[in-house]
Amino acid sequence: MKNLYKQILINREYNKKMLAVLLDPDRCQGKLMSSTIAALKLSAPDFVFVGGSYVNSPIDSFIDLLQEEVQIPVVLFPGNASQFSPKADALLFLSLISGRNPEFLIGQHVTSALAIKQSGIEVIPAGYILIDGGKVSAVEYMSHTRSIPREKKEIVLATAVAGELSGQHVVYLEAGSGAIQPVPKELINHVTSHLSIPVIVGGGMKTTQHLKDCFDAGADLAVVGNAIEQNPDLITQFVNFTKEYNQKKNFSFI
């Protein structure tokens, strides 16, 4: 059985930056799915995340197709309990700690807990923090919570530290799907410099400069979603950039 969290920790120890491609089963269908799989075969990121704020399409069959076509670890990124699938390699057990809606702090978790436990899937507890990305995101709308203003660094930091102290294994800073602006690099740096657990950053990542800012600020894993839905060929560009970034740092990896 794969231990993806252990691999994340090893990469973090050696300061190797990681990339995940986020696929929404509702959006990634037909020609887009074919183009995305072709791009993933050509250039493999570290992970493929699967999920979204609202998903109607069958998760199991979507993951089956991915795993038949590519040899990349599949990690569930569920918007609610209905998006659980035992077919994935791991699950981000997301707690929306920036909000105050108990349904996304513990409610959805209780609904899915027994099925998750019985499946034996690897579970990675994640403190999920929503940052203002310049527009109302699907996460905000579906979760009935508000994002933290992007200039409120101390509130974001205190929330992240609270997640770490409460036992979360990673902190996920999220600007929201299709955000106008990604999470600011100054904010990422403020959080990463005070945490001892990995930091994931997603939302609004459209260019390699966004990836560079994210990695330079100390994030361990960057997540790209909406941009590759518009142009799957960007996967190769983002994967190559991440490899080059690591090579330029001249690190030794396990």
Side-chain angles (χ1 to χ4, degrees):
M1 181 180 292
K2 300 175 182 177
N3 189 329
L4 300 186
Y5 183 63
K6 180 179 180 180
Q7 189 58 54
I8 290 172
L9 292 180
I10 291 173
N11 288 342
R12 184 173 190 270
E13 180 179 354
Y14 287 87
N15 205 14
K16 180 184 178 184
K17 305 303 182 180
M18 294 163 280
L19 177 71
V21 169
L22 172 60
L23 303 181
D24 184 327
D26 279 354
R27 298 177 184 175
C28 194
Q29 297 185 2
K31 184 177 179 180
L32 177 58
M33 183 62 166
S34 299
S35 299
T36 300
I37 287 175
L40 290 172
K41 286 181 176 180
L42 183 64
S43 303
D46 296 278
F47 308 103
V48 172
F49 287 2
V50 173
S53 299
Y54 181 78
V55 174
N56 272 324
S57 302
I59 299 289
D60 285 354
S61 58
F62 187 84
I63 293 175
D64 279 339
L65 178 58
L66 274 176
Q67 293 177 331
E68 287 173 6
E69 296 291 340
V70 298
Q71 302 299 312
I72 304 170
V74 176
V75 180
L76 285 173
F77 179 70
N80 55 52
S82 69
Q83 294 179 32
F84 171 65
S85 169
K87 293 180 176 292
D89 297 297
L91 161 72
L92 286 177
F93 203 50
L94 299 168
S95 294
L96 185 54
I97 58 176
S98 59
R100 298 297 181 266
N101 184 345
E103 188 64 20
F104 292 92
L105 285 169
I106 190 62
Q108 292 291 316
H109 309 69
V110 171
T111 299
S112 58
L114 291 179
I116 292 171
K117 182 74 171 180
Q118 291 166 3
S119 74
I121 193 173
E122 179 183 351
V123 176
I124 305 174
Y128 192 56
I129 301 176
L130 190 59
I131 310 297
D132 177 27
K135 70 174 188 178
V136 176
S137 68
V139 178
E140 286 184 85
Y141 184 82
M142 295 302 296
S143 66
H144 302 287
T145 65
R146 295 182 62 185
S147 59
I148 300 177
R150 55 198 295 108
E151 71 275 7
K152 299 296 184 181
K153 294 193 298 183
E154 292 306 321
I155 295 177
V156 176
L157 175 61
T159 304
V161 171
E164 179 181 25
L165 295 179
S166 64
Q168 304 295 338
H169 288 188
V170 300
V171 161
Y172 195 130
L173 302 178
E174 171 72 278
S177 176
I180 297 173
Q181 300 170 306
V183 180
K185 59 183 180 181
E186 297 81 9
L187 177 54
I188 298 170
N189 182 255
H190 192 59
V191 171
T192 58
S193 62
H194 289 83
L195 292 187
S196 59
I197 58 176
V199 174
I200 304 171
V201 179
M205 299 277 195
K206 304 180 184 72
T207 67
T208 55
Q209 183 62 49
H210 290 155
L211 286 184
K212 183 179 187 302
D213 289 344
C214 178
F215 292 149
D216 284 349
D220 301 287
L221 171 60
V223 182
V224 179
N226 191 258
I228 61 100
E229 290 176 1
Q230 306 300 320
N231 181 9
D233 290 338
L234 285 175
I235 292 174
T236 296
Q237 183 179 336
F238 291 141
V239 168
N240 288 343
F241 174 82
T242 303
K243 290 179 179 178
E244 291 167 4
Y245 184 95
N246 286 322
Q247 290 169 354
K248 286 179 181 178
K249 294 296 184 180
N250 196 28
F251 295 127
S252 296
F253 308 130
I254 289 180

